[in-house]
Every structure is written in structure tokens, then in C-alpha cells.
């Protein structure tokens, strides 16, 4: 008799392309992946990721900002949807909205985000453009637990990516994105299987060696 293992439900928040979303969905299809992607929520009805989610048979919900008078109202509707869907963890994946303090408090330590830089450097938008302008030799990507300040919070995984002298924004973003797709599923695995803890808002690993092995293998 097959043993039913309860996996925590995860919601992915998107606004656009959804390539990180798809990487998470694909990883979660592995039988031993410790989380279930239950729902994809978009704040845009034309987000390309919605089509991809449907193709993977994942439930999608659109919550348009135009329908709400304030950020608080929007986030309340978002929160109610997440509670109704029995969500335990939330992955922001190219979700182009700043989440309110109230929302972050309600889902404290349950929301993670991916950012295409080595945080705390290059928070915000147009990271690759700024990295190139500054003639950086190294950039990367970061998965972190969401805190109230934008692109801030305890870092779960960070991965360095070299910047080459003839890189364009497009080439560099592609190189970084490839690594984003590897680290995001691993970070969600660590969080949802409780293999990380917070000590003074710093992420501590149950098995640092496995993480190091993973990082050298990608
Ligand atoms: C990614 O580069 C991610 O790091 C950033 O927004 C982009 C979203 O891309 N937060 P996608 O929608 O996952 O393809």
C-alpha cells in the first residue's frame, strides 16, 4: 500500500514570464520533493506564466490591482485566497508588487523571493544593467526570506555568476536566470522540509554539507 505523505501547499506569485515558477513546478513533480505547488496567483491577467501553469495543470487565480482601492485591501484579498487554499508557503517569482507590512507579518517566515543579484547589492529593478554599468566582474542570484524592506531578508541561498567583458544585459540575464532556476527549487526544498532555522535572522542549515555539495554540483 502506498503511503500518503502530506506535503505543504505552496503558492507562487507571478506577474509575468514565469520561468522561475516553471522551475519550481517541474522540481515539485519529483516524488521526493517535499512541497506541492497548489496554486499560481498573478496580479496581471496577461502574465505569460499563467499559460505555463495551466499547461502543468496548476490552478491559477488572477487578482487584479485595479479592483482594490489600496495595497492593504489588495493584500487582504491575497491573504484570504491563500488561507482558503490552505497555503503554507509562498514563493514570489517575478511578482512586481511590494507586499504590505501587514501581509508579511501574517505570513512571517513563510514568504520567499528570488532576486537576480548578490543581495544586499543591487536591490530593486534593472539589476543587470546596473551591474554592467559598474563594470562588476561577478554578480549572481539570491533566494531570501521576505522582510519588510524591499529585496531584503535572511538569505537562504546565493550563487555567484561571472560577468564577462563583452556581456550585454540579455546575455548576462540569461546566464543568471539559468542559475535562478536551480537555486529556487533547492531553497524551497530547504524551507518546506524545515532543513533551515533562523538564528538572529540568519539562516542556519541542518545539513550544510549537502548544501555545499549542491552548490558545487550546479
Ligand atoms: C527573475 O529574474 C527574478 O529573479 C526576478 O524577476 C525575474 C522573473 O522572471 N525577481 P520569471 O518571471 O521567473 O521568468
Amino acid at each position: 500500500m502506498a503511503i500518503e505523505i502530506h506535503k505543504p501547499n505552496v503558492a507562487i506569485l507571478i506577474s509575468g514570464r514565469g520561468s522561475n515558477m516553471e522551475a519550481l513546478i517541474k522540481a515539485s513533480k519529483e516524488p521526493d520533493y517535499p512541497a506541492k505547488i497548489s496554486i499560481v496567483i498573478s496580479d496581471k491577467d496577461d502574465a505569460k506564466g499563467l499559460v505555463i501553469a495551466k499547461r502543468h495543470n496548476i490552478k491559477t487565480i488572477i487578482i487584479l490591482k485595479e479592483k482594490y482601492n489600496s495595497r492593504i485591501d489588495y493584500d487582504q484579498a491575497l491573504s484570504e485566497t491563500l488561507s482558503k487554499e490552505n497555503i503554507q508557503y509562498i514563493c514570489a517569482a517575478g511578482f512586481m508588487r511590494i507586499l504590505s507590512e501587514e501581509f508579511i507579518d501574517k505570513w512571517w517566515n513563510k514568504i520567499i523571493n528570488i532576486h537576480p543579484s548578490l543581495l544586499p547589492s543591487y536591490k530593486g529593478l534593472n539589476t543587470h544593467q546596473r551591474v554592467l554599468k559598474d563594470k562588476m566582474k561577478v554578480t549572481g542570484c539570491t533566494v531570501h526570506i521576505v522582510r519588510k524592506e524591499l529585496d531584503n531578508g535572511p538569505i537562504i541561498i546565493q550563487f555567484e555568476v561571472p560577468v564577462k567583458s563583452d556581456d550585454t544585459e540579455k546575455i548576462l540575464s540569461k546566464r543568471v536566470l539559468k542559475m535562478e532556476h536551480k537555486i529556487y527549487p533547492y531553497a524551497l526544498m530547504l524551507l518546506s522540509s524545515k532543513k533551515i532555522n533562523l538564528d538572529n535572522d540568519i539562516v542556519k542549515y541542518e545539513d550544510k554539507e549537502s548544501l555545499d555539495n549542491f552548490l558545487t554540483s550546479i
Side-chain angles (χ1 to χ4, degrees):
M1 197 174 76
I3 303 168
E4 274 275 300
I5 300 166
H6 172 74
K7 296 186 180 190
N9 291 319
V10 176
I12 307 179
L13 309 182
I14 63 163
S15 297
R17 184 174 56 182
S19 70
N20 277 290
M21 173 209 74
E22 189 171 30
L24 290 167
I25 293 173
K26 282 185 174 166
S28 74
K29 287 185 178 172
E30 289 300 319
D32 60 350
Y33 196 80
K36 179 180 178 224
I37 309 299
S38 306
I39 193 164
V40 168
I41 301 178
S42 172
D43 65 334
K44 301 249 161 57
D45 52 7
D46 59 353
K48 291 208 172 70
L50 289 169
V51 180
I52 303 170
K54 283 186 190 133
R55 210 193 296 142
H56 286 280
N57 292 318
I58 307 284
K59 180 172 176 181
T60 58
I61 294 185
I62 297 161
I63 308 181
L64 293 175
K65 80 159 192 263
E66 293 76 26
K67 288 196 172 175
Y68 300 89
N69 291 327
S70 66
R71 186 177 305 282
I72 299 281
D73 286 354
Y74 184 96
D75 284 1
Q76 200 173 330
L78 179 58
S79 214
E80 279 165 14
T81 304
L82 295 165
S83 298
K84 211 171 104 203
E85 297 290 330
N86 196 21
I87 295 301
Q88 273 88 50
Y89 297 103
I90 303 162
C91 294
F95 188 57
M96 301 302 283
R97 287 183 62 81
I98 294 171
L99 295 163
S100 60
E101 288 195 17
E102 288 76 2
F103 184 89
I104 295 169
D105 275 341
K106 177 159 172 27
W107 299 93
W108 192 247
N109 290 341
K110 305 290 181 199
I111 319 165
I112 57 176
N113 179 48
I114 186 146
H115 186 75
S117 79
L118 293 176
L119 290 174
S121 300
Y122 299 100
K123 295 176 180 178
L125 297 174
N126 305 318
T127 51
H128 305 305
Q129 190 187 324
R130 288 184 284 139
V131 161
L132 290 173
K133 188 165 170 272
D134 291 347
K135 301 192 173 12
M136 298 297 290
K137 300 275 184 213
V138 161
T139 183
C141 44
T142 306
V143 180
H144 66 97
I145 299 174
V146 171
R147 291 289 182 256
K148 291 168 192 177
E149 303 76 31
L150 181 70
D151 296 327
N152 195 55
I155 291 169
I156 304 178
I157 301 188
Q158 201 156 51
F159 196 83
E160 279 187 13
V161 175
V163 183
K164 299 181 184 169
S165 54
D166 56 351
D167 272 350
T168 60
E169 218 180 306
K170 199 172 160 195
I171 291 171
L172 181 59
S173 69
K174 207 171 154 196
R175 193 179 305 126
V176 174
L177 192 66
K178 198 174 158 202
M179 302 324 294
E180 293 183 40
H181 296 165
K182 293 186 193 285
I183 66 166
Y184 210 178
Y186 198 89
L188 176 61
M189 179 280 285
L190 290 176
L191 180 72
S192 61
S193 58
K194 300 192 163 61
K195 288 188 171 153
I196 50 173
N197 285 301
L198 285 174
D199 179 8
N200 251 331
D201 236 23
I202 295 171
V203 172
K204 301 284 176 197
Y205 307 90
E206 188 182 274
D207 183 357
K208 181 75 169 50
E209 202 183 324
S210 293
L211 172 63
D212 291 341
N213 289 341
F214 165 72
L215 292 174
T216 47
S217 74
I218 60 176

